[in-house]
Amino acid sequence: MSAFVMSDKYPKLCKAIENFGYDIIPSDKILQFNTPEQRHIDMQMLKINNDIFLLKECNNLKRLRENKDYNIILCKNNIDGKYPHCVALNCLYISGKLYGREEAIDVSVKNYCKENGIEIVDVKQGYTRCSTAVIGKNSAITADSTIYNALTKNGIDVLKIDSGSIRLDGYDYGFIGGACTMIDDGTVAFFGDIKTHPNFRKIERFCIIHNVKIINLAENKPLTDVGGAVKI
């Protein structure tokens, strides 16, 4: 299956990804979350290798069970819209480790990590996945100091950028991880135009170092946190 799961609130961005030959599977609308986050896939789904964790409330996405390429695991607990309990699946899996606010991670994920020998690295920032742009198997970009320190300590090459300059309706600003997705191993696509970010040159150099091409899905438009996109 060649598809991305993401919010369909931004049809032009969805169409831009479809133009690369992918289908779009719309994320669910989770009413327990604050309005700007209700369709954010990085709040609803966590993919670790060929296993996909879903919130119990994701009624539409449960049809992914029909795809035999993946093992769908539903969360044990009902989601709570209050932070940090809302970030049960907003975790970052990179280089064989899972990063997240451990107290908030759903028990199904914790049990899975224990059974599969995956270390959970506790970080203060609960919005771990949406705060981090994965640029490669061993490289990432974030504005969060706690994530930067944790990743760096574990051998990940991390670019630290300034907070802000990313649009997220209803909030002062959004996060870099929610504003991009890896189209393939050598291409990162930004939701909006990365050139509008004040750290664009640093980001551009970092991507060049890691042999990653940058694509803007909406030229001359604000960089926007749409909750990222999960490739399946």
Side-chain angles (χ1 to χ4, degrees):
M1 189 176 194
S2 296
F4 278 89
V5 190
M6 63 178 288
S7 169
D8 61 357
K9 181 182 176 182
Y10 305 90
K12 290 184 178 179
L13 296 176
C14 292
K15 181 62 177 176
I17 288 185
E18 288 177 331
N19 289 339
F20 287 96
Y22 296 98
D23 294 329
I24 295 295
I25 299 174
S27 57
D28 273 277
K29 184 176 183 179
I30 308 299
L31 297 178
Q32 289 88 337
F33 292 151
N34 292 330
T35 301
E37 302 171 339
Q38 287 181 347
R39 295 188 183 275
H40 282 201
I41 196 59
D42 53 22
M43 302 284 287
Q44 304 177 21
M45 175 187 286
L46 170 64
K47 182 170 176 281
I48 302 178
N49 301 320
N50 288 328
D51 296 305
I52 293 176
F53 294 87
L54 288 178
L55 297 180
K56 292 169 65 175
E57 293 78 7
C58 286
N59 294 319
N60 294 332
L61 289 179
K62 287 177 184 176
R63 66 188 179 93
L64 292 176
R65 289 176 172 177
E66 300 170 6
N67 182 1
K68 302 303 181 182
D69 293 332
Y70 293 97
N71 177 39
I72 306 299
I73 304 169
L74 296 182
C75 287
K76 295 290 186 183
N77 301 326
N78 294 322
I79 195 63
D80 186 332
K82 295 180 180 180
Y83 184 84
H85 308 293
C86 59
V87 293
L89 293 183
N90 203 311
C91 308
L92 172 67
Y93 181 70
I94 184 172
S95 194
K97 298 180 189 295
L98 187 74
Y99 298 80
R101 185 157 175 166
E102 190 167 6
E103 64 171 315
I105 297 174
D106 189 80
V107 66
S108 63
V109 178
K110 292 180 180 179
N111 290 341
Y112 173 91
C113 289
K114 184 177 180 179
E115 292 168 2
N116 290 276
I118 297 173
E119 179 185 353
I120 296 177
V121 180
D122 185 35
V123 294
K124 184 177 180 181
Q125 172 59 269
Y127 292 97
T128 314
R129 181 64 187 91
C130 63
S131 296
T132 313
V134 175
I135 301 300
K137 294 180 179 179
N138 201 46
S139 54
I141 302 171
T142 188
D144 187 88
S145 295
T146 60
I147 295 174
Y148 173 84
N149 291 335
L151 291 175
T152 301
K153 182 179 179 180
N154 284 283
I156 307 297
D157 187 15
V158 189
L159 173 65
K160 179 75 161 53
I161 61 172
D162 297 326
S163 298
S165 303
I166 298 172
R167 180 180 174 181
L168 177 57
D169 295 337
Y171 291 96
D172 293 338
Y173 57 86
F175 299 104
I176 189 69
C180 67
T181 190
M182 293 295 291
I183 293 290
D184 55 48
D185 289 343
T187 308
V188 59
F190 286 95
F191 297 114
D193 191 335
I194 189 60
K195 293 192 296 293
T196 64
H197 195 283
N199 295 144
F200 163 63
R201 292 299 179 188
K202 291 170 61 176
I203 294 170
E204 181 183 46
R205 287 195 298 270
F206 188 77
C207 289
I208 289 173
I209 289 171
H210 290 281
N211 298 312
V212 172
K213 177 183 177 182
I214 289 175
I215 291 175
N216 292 312
L217 297 179
E219 295 286 349
N220 302 314
K221 298 295 183 181
L223 194 60
T224 303
D225 183 347
V226 306
V230 179
K231 186 178 180 180
I232 63 171

